[in-house]
Amino acid sequence: MRISSMMIYEQIKKGLQNSLEELSRRNEELATGRRILKPSDDITSSSRALGYKVEISMKEQYLRNMATGDLQFEFTDNVLKSLSDALVELRKLTISGVNPQDEGARLFNSQQARLLRDHLYELSNSRHLGRFIFSGMRTDREAFVYNPLTYTYEYQGDSGEMGLPLNTNATVSINMPGSEVFSPVLRSGNPSVLSDGTSVTYTESKDPLTGVNTITIEIGDLMSAEHDVFTVTNIMDIANRLSYAWQYEDIDGSFIGETKAMHRIEALQSLIDDARTQVLEKQTELATRRQFLKGAEERTRNLLNTLKNTLSLSEDADLPEVAVEIQKAQTGLEALRISSIKLLSTSLLDFLK
Amino acid sequence: MSLSGLFDIGRSALFASQTGLYVTGHNIANVNTPGFNRQEVILETTTPVVTGAGFTGRGVRVAGIRRYFDRFIYNQIFFQSQKIGLTRTMSNIMTGIEETFNDLKGAGLSGALQEFYSAWQEVSSSPDLLPARNLLLAKADSFLRIAKEMEGAIKNTLNDIERQIRYSTEKINSLLKQIGDLNGKILQVESGLLSEKAKDLRDQREEALRRLSELIDISYYEEENGSVTVNHGTFALVERENVSMLSAPVKRDGRRGVFINGQDITDTIRQGELGGLLLSRRDIENYQLFGLRRLIGSVIKEINLQHRQGYGLDGTTGEDFFTPVKLYLDNYTQGAVASATITDMSQLTLDEYEITFTSGNYTVRSIQTANVVASGIYISGNPISFDGIEVTVTGSVLQNERIVISPLKNLIKEAEVAIIDPLKIAASSSGSTIPLDNLNALRIVNLFESSIPELGYSTFFEYYNELVSTTGIMSRNAQDSLKFEENLMAELTRQRDALSGVNLDEEAVNLIKYQRAFEAGARIIKVADELLETILNI
């Protein structure tokens, strides 16, 4: 083929351009650490990379949710432990065998029950991140308040549980409504007669909206002078009634006498046991939820690691390989420059004298 | 044969060599001139005379100057230039657009959408906490801001294309005029000459034709008189010295069209730079711009629909999270008044529609799917309903007049976060379960992971990924096509240069060759002179 001067110039220009382009691209790969700099570099990989990034972002968000949930679980677990301890203390008081004639001991028990009542009340209104954790969905208000007109503790929350998303298909409830924790449910084992042979009956009715269980305790025959009926809806009510009973008083401060008071103390013992069982069950439930969350967290972390590794394989540059390629491109460019100089610097015209 | 004949031979040798030197010099001077075809002196012996010794030569004469030109290769280059013009323009534009959708660098719409999604997750995990709600409003705003920036970048590209269409048309007109002028000059120079051609003028004209073919798809043929006729399809652009200029006015839809003698030829231009500009404009409008608007429209529509179902911390309900999707109407009728409203947001497909009127009937067609969604007899004032939209047209309409309805046209530009007070973010499913109820927030979170009908049953993320991939594919295709066409062009150019290109070494040899011949011719004259002197001194 005949070669024209223009062909030589163009060939050199094109060769230089290609070499510089290659060098520039490899330098950018080295600087960014990425093999794919724009979608058209590798459409399949870049599309996958974008998909992985979305997945990674979602998984990271789910992990943040899990951290939030776990913190709430831990806080709730601590409250339940304190609650359980307080109930044990209350139960101890009821079986301490106080001599009714020993007023000092009665007043001491009354005082202890009052302190435990206040402690339970404080626990029922525990707050985490500014939210009342036992109010169901109504976390902006206290779970329980004391009503001075009825002398009882009333639940202000609802039975709602908030589901925290752990992944696309699973949620876990992070709260326990106060009605389920503090309002005891009757279990088998409640006595039908007290130690002195007086009959006792326990009946319950649950409010479907709030989940509050109202337990009515009836002691003695209807016609008997010692006949007594009263209700409790939560463990603060139980502690409150105990506190007054040790002073032979009803919760409004009216005198009820020794027999009724002692009957009440005995009848409430089984309810404290029911409440303890209930708290234990809630602790177990919380542990199960937490385990579920931890399991989901571990699976999410594993998946996240896999996704990150796959993303890295898709878009990250093999740096040693890039460094070698840069060296190759530089050597090629140098060789091209040297040969180009030789080619351009000689012409037959130079030899014309 | 007389002694003076030797002088004639010497003179003819001097003249031939001098012409050779001129041509060689001309070649050397034009070594870098685009479109120049090297030339060569054609020498032949003069007619011999009969002498006693038989036929005796009388020297040399210049029979002509040859131009090394191959019409076949030139035509291949000519048509290849149209493809180069097309692919280079499309590659440049699509590479630029790809940068707008390059989420691989981190700060793109995908990241903003992910953060918006995460913010909803935060609200769902802490629906009663104000910081999470404030964060959501900030992320929603940032999502819209990035969408606006992207739309702005696409619109800038489209505006740039509009400007380039005008410049390209001006360049075409300038070349058409140049070709017309060269036609005139060639006709003038070659007039009366049977074999001689206006070589350099033809080189210039062929180069102008090649440059013109880089701009627009044209064909040409050479008339017997030496002028060329240039056509675009059935339209003659140049005939002899007469030129039909192109114009690129802005049409009623806001886009520039290309016209010749009042006729719209926009849709017939498919090659060259102008073809690349028009095709890129169509592709960007149909894929990138429409796709982005549809995605944002879908996010706004779906989130608003769900948000309206929920309750804010202050108990409010039925509120839109974003400013709602509304309809934009382009009325291309002369006498009718039209209005359009959304009657059922959930039915909205986010397609654009065209209502056309023919023979007293109306037809509503989706611009994206070309499906007819409604049709009937046109009665002024009667509502036309389709896909959750109601259009009322009042007045008379002419044959083939049309109305375009779009839910997307200014959607991104006008989109804002409608909720200002974070308390009004409707995370709860009921007014009585505030503040910890997160069911509505969870439903919105689920939207991000659900298949959306108006997005072809893709999720928001999948649809955007598809949009990025499509842009990448378009850019890759344009780059690959350009590379392929450039390689082909390089090969054709090599073939052309192998024949027509100047080689300086070759010309240096020619320079010596003609110099030596000139010196020898002069020596002949000197010898003849000495011989004559010898005779005179006898």
Side-chain angles (χ1 to χ4, degrees):
Chain A
M1 181 184 254
R2 182 176 170 275
I3 304 294
S4 71
S5 300
M6 190 72 95
M7 283 161 79
I8 295 169
Y9 300 148
E10 289 301 320
Q11 206 167 3
I12 290 170
K13 262 164 63 182
K14 198 174 173 190
L16 285 169
Q17 192 56 44
N18 286 345
S19 295
L20 286 168
E21 214 173 283
E22 171 72 8
L23 197 60
S24 160
R25 181 175 166 78
R26 293 294 182 185
N27 268 327
E28 207 176 345
E29 279 184 19
L30 197 66
T32 58
R34 286 210 306 270
R35 185 175 64 83
I36 309 169
L37 302 169
K38 55 185 189 299
S40 61
D41 289 344
D42 183 341
I43 291 148
T44 314
S45 296
S46 66
S47 170
R48 279 188 193 146
L50 209 54
Y52 295 146
K53 281 180 181 173
V54 171
E55 278 292 307
I56 287 169
S57 158
M58 285 182 164
K59 297 278 176 286
E60 285 174 342
Q61 181 55 45
Y62 282 126
L63 283 176
R64 281 196 289 275
N65 288 357
M66 288 170 199
T68 306
D70 195 41
L71 203 62
Q72 171 120 356
F73 282 157
E74 191 166 341
F75 184 83
T76 310
D77 192 38
N78 284 331
V79 174
L80 290 181
K81 273 180 195 152
S82 301
L83 181 58
S84 179
D85 292 346
L87 286 171
V88 169
E89 290 302 313
L90 196 62
R91 182 72 173 92
K92 276 184 194 165
L93 283 181
T94 61
I95 57 168
S96 57
V98 171
N99 180 358
Q101 306 309 315
D102 185 349
E103 195 180 351
R106 279 194 294 111
L107 288 179
F108 174 78
N109 276 10
S110 171
Q111 180 67 22
Q112 287 301 306
R114 189 172 294 120
L115 287 173
L116 285 168
R117 177 201 65 191
D118 292 345
H119 181 47
L120 289 169
Y121 182 46
E122 189 192 329
L123 290 175
S124 74
N125 287 327
S126 298
R127 291 176 79 169
H128 173 60
L129 298 174
R131 113 187 4 149
F132 291 98
I133 64 166
F134 291 117
S135 297
M137 295 291 191
R138 316 302 302 262
T139 51
D140 54 338
R141 55 173 76 165
E142 291 175 320
F144 290 91
V145 287
Y146 178 69
N147 185 341
L149 298 175
T150 59
Y151 312 106
T152 57
Y153 290 84
E154 290 174 359
Y155 185 53
Q156 288 203 114
D158 58 22
S159 58
E161 290 189 15
M162 195 195 92
L164 185 78
L166 302 181
N167 55 48
T168 313
N169 304 313
T171 56
V172 64
S173 297
I174 58 163
N175 64 324
M176 287 180 163
S179 53
E180 284 186 13
V181 179
F182 291 86
S183 184
V185 177
L186 291 179
R187 320 244 159 197
S188 57
N190 292 97
S192 53
V193 286
L194 298 177
S195 55
D196 62 359
T198 309
S199 64
V200 59
T201 55
Y202 299 85
T203 50
E204 63 184 341
S205 72
K206 192 167 190 169
D207 180 344
L209 284 177
T210 59
V212 171
N213 203 33
T214 304
I215 297 173
T216 306
I217 302 162
E218 186 173 359
I219 302 168
D221 297 331
L222 189 62
M223 304 307 288
S224 155
E226 302 303 327
H227 177 255
D228 188 16
V229 180
F230 61 94
T231 59
V232 288
T233 59
N234 54 62
I235 51 182
M236 281 76 73
D237 277 347
I238 294 173
N240 194 36
R241 285 208 177 263
L242 283 172
S243 164
Y244 278 97
W246 268 304
Q247 294 186 66
Y248 299 160
E249 287 176 355
D250 202 347
I251 50 175
D252 59 357
S254 59
F255 184 74
I256 57 170
E258 180 190 333
T259 311
K260 272 190 181 178
M262 286 303 145
H263 282 169
R264 281 190 178 188
I265 292 168
E266 193 180 345
L268 287 170
Q269 280 180 8
S270 67
L271 283 189
I272 297 171
D273 290 339
D274 288 346
R276 281 173 60 202
T277 310
Q278 192 162 328
V279 171
L280 194 66
E281 279 174 4
K282 287 294 161 192
Q283 281 180 301
T284 312
E285 188 185 323
L286 193 73
T288 310
R289 287 191 205 173
R290 204 170 178 189
Q291 205 173 359
F292 179 63
L293 183 135
K294 289 284 180 194
E297 187 181 355
E298 196 183 334
R299 282 192 298 280
T300 309
R301 279 197 195 286
N302 288 341
L303 211 57
L304 190 63
N305 283 339
T306 310
L307 279 168
K308 282 184 174 173
N309 286 338
T310 319
L311 174 68
S312 171
L313 286 174
S314 288
E315 66 168 12
D316 288 354
D318 181 347
L319 293 182
E321 189 191 319
V322 174
V324 170
E325 289 300 325
I326 287 179
Q327 192 57 50
K328 269 165 70 180
Q330 273 174 339
T331 311
L333 184 62
E334 241 166 73
L336 186 63
R337 278 175 179 154
I338 292 166
S339 64
S340 301
I341 287 166
K342 283 188 178 170
L343 210 57
L344 292 171
S345 62
T346 56
S347 166
L348 191 58
L349 290 166
D350 297 334
F351 299 97
L352 294 178
K353 302 286 179 200
Chain B
M1 190 180 173
S2 68
L3 195 57
S4 63
L6 201 55
F7 280 104
D8 291 337
I9 290 172
R11 190 187 60 200
S12 74
L14 283 182
F15 178 71
S17 306
Q18 200 177 338
T19 310
L21 285 168
Y22 275 135
V23 170
T24 304
H26 186 56
N27 284 343
I28 291 171
N30 286 292
V31 65
N32 294 325
T33 306
F36 176 75
N37 296 292
R38 75 186 165 103
Q39 296 174 11
E40 188 184 47
V41 179
I42 303 166
L43 300 175
E44 63 180 26
T45 52
T46 52
T47 313
V49 292
V50 183
T51 63
F55 287 102
T56 305
R58 291 200 303 172
V60 63
R61 80 178 187 90
V62 176
I65 297 170
R66 178 194 297 158
R67 171 175 168 251
Y68 280 91
F69 176 74
D70 186 319
R71 175 70 60 193
F72 179 72
I73 296 174
Y74 174 78
N75 280 345
Q76 282 183 303
I77 289 176
F78 173 82
F79 287 111
Q80 191 58 27
S81 296
Q82 301 186 1
K83 291 176 186 165
I84 290 278
L86 173 82
T87 51
R88 185 180 293 142
T89 307
M90 291 191 81
S91 176
N92 287 345
I93 293 172
M94 290 318 299
T95 309
I97 278 289
E98 190 186 3
E99 278 305 311
T100 309
F101 285 84
N102 192 1
D103 279 52
L104 295 170
K105 286 184 178 168
L109 190 71
S110 179
L113 190 61
Q114 284 164 35
E115 287 183 8
F116 182 43
Y117 158 83
S118 290
W120 270 112
Q121 282 262 26
E122 288 291 340
V123 168
S124 78
S125 62
S126 308
D128 51 341
L129 299 185
L130 276 181
R133 289 170 172 261
N134 282 324
L135 179 76
L136 172 64
L137 294 183
K139 293 297 175 188
D141 197 54
S142 149
F143 167 67
L144 285 184
R145 191 171 40 77
I146 289 182
K148 283 175 195 220
E149 280 171 15
M150 284 180 76
E151 190 192 43
I154 297 171
K155 279 183 171 174
N156 281 345
T157 305
L158 287 170
N159 289 340
D160 223 33
I161 289 176
E162 294 296 330
R163 273 192 295 276
Q164 283 187 53
I165 288 172
R166 190 163 63 86
Y167 296 147
S168 194
T169 312
E170 284 169 5
K171 279 194 281 182
I172 290 169
N173 285 340
S174 161
L175 283 166
L176 290 174
K177 193 170 176 309
Q178 200 178 328
I179 292 165
D181 289 348
L182 284 163
N183 265 349
K185 284 179 187 166
I186 289 166
L187 279 171
Q188 203 177 0
V189 170
E190 293 182 359
S191 165
L193 296 174
L194 287 177
S195 59
E196 199 49 57
K197 304 283 183 199
K199 298 172 201 65
D200 293 334
L201 289 174
R202 280 173 175 266
D203 277 355
Q204 284 177 33
R205 189 178 65 186
E206 267 133 20
E207 178 59 12
L209 275 169
R210 194 196 59 74
R211 280 167 54 203
L212 181 63
S213 75
E214 275 186 7
L215 299 174
I216 186 171
D217 34 348
I218 51 163
S219 58
Y220 79 97
Y221 60 89
E222 192 174 327
E223 305 279 358
E224 276 185 18
N225 58 18
S227 74
V228 290
T229 298
V230 182
N231 292 319
H232 167 76
T234 54
F235 296 96
L237 301 175
V238 182
E239 278 176 307
R240 294 171 68 100
E241 294 158 271
N242 303 318
V243 175
S244 297
M245 296 288 193
L246 300 184
S247 62
V250 178
K251 296 203 286 187
R252 208 171 160 186
D253 60 6
R255 301 177 182 93
R256 280 186 190 279
V258 183
F259 288 76
I260 181 166
N261 300 329
Q263 258 191 292
D264 190 347
I265 58 163
T266 315
D267 293 340
T268 65
I269 301 168
R270 297 207 168 92
Q271 296 285 342
E273 182 183 287
L274 194 54
L277 291 170
L278 294 169
L279 286 176
S280 300
R281 181 176 72 180
R282 188 199 64 188
D283 286 351
I284 292 168
E285 280 177 350
N286 288 350
Y287 294 101
Q288 282 75 31
L289 187 59
F290 179 77
L292 180 69
R293 285 174 172 174
R294 180 166 225 159
L295 173 66
I296 306 301
S298 179
V299 170
I300 290 176
K301 177 197 149 189
E302 297 297 335
I303 288 181
N304 275 356
L305 278 172
Q306 190 57 54
H307 192 264
R308 281 186 211 166
Q309 310 294 316
Y311 291 78
L313 279 180
D314 59 357
T316 51
T317 186
E319 303 256 345
D320 280 323
F321 185 81
F322 293 108
T323 48
V325 174
K326 61 181 182 183
L327 296 173
Y328 304 93
L329 200 138
D330 287 318
N331 186 350
Y332 295 106
T333 66
Q334 284 181 10
V337 177
S339 63
T341 51
I342 298 171
T343 51
D344 184 353
M345 187 64 81
S346 65
Q347 294 287 310
L348 210 63
T349 62
L350 296 177
D351 272 4
E352 292 169 314
Y353 301 91
E354 186 181 60
I355 306 179
T356 46
F357 300 92
T358 44
S359 313
N361 293 318
Y362 71 85
T363 307
V364 186
R365 193 174 269 109
S366 158
I367 293 174
Q368 278 68 44
T369 64
N371 290 338
V372 174
V373 294
S375 60
I377 299 166
Y378 169 66
I379 299 166
S380 173
N382 267 18
I384 301 169
S385 300
F386 53 92
D387 295 347
I389 293 172
E390 191 174 276
V391 181
T392 307
V393 185
T394 317
S396 60
V397 288
L398 300 175
Q399 184 77 355
N400 292 329
E401 280 193 329
R402 62 196 184 100
I403 293 168
V404 174
I405 296 132
S406 168
L408 303 174
K409 193 178 170 187
N410 292 328
L411 179 126
I412 295 180
K413 192 175 142 195
E414 293 174 4
E416 299 292 344
V417 180
I419 299 284
I420 297 165
D421 182 356
L423 294 178
K424 292 192 187 301
I425 293 171
S428 303
S429 61
S430 160
S432 61
T433 49
I434 298 163
L436 199 64
D437 176 6
N438 64 347
L439 277 181
N440 205 48
L442 280 181
R443 284 178 192 137
I444 291 176
V445 166
N446 282 339
L447 278 177
F448 286 83
E449 296 163 19
S450 307
S451 304
I452 307 292
E454 67 261 18
L455 299 181
Y457 293 94
S458 300
T459 65
F460 297 142
F461 292 111
E462 285 167 353
Y463 186 82
Y464 183 68
N465 196 343
E466 209 175 294
L467 198 58
V468 173
S469 296
T470 307
T471 307
I473 290 168
M474 288 164 80
S475 171
R476 178 82 266 157
N477 285 350
Q479 289 171 49
D480 287 348
S481 299
L482 176 62
K483 202 168 273 180
F484 175 78
E485 303 299 351
E486 276 181 343
N487 285 341
L488 213 58
M489 183 60 126
E491 183 51 38
L492 289 170
T493 309
R494 268 160 58 86
Q495 284 182 31
R496 179 208 167 270
D497 283 352
L499 177 75
S500 310
V502 175
N503 181 319
L504 286 178
D505 286 341
E506 204 174 82
E507 299 306 327
V509 171
N510 286 340
L511 214 54
I512 296 164
K513 185 174 82 178
Y514 291 120
Q515 188 187 4
R516 292 286 179 228
F518 188 88
E519 284 167 5
R523 183 61 61 89
I524 291 169
I525 292 170
K526 192 180 175 192
V527 167
D529 182 49
E530 282 170 6
L531 288 174
L532 196 61
E533 198 176 337
T534 307
I535 289 167
L536 289 172
N537 288 337
I538 291 173

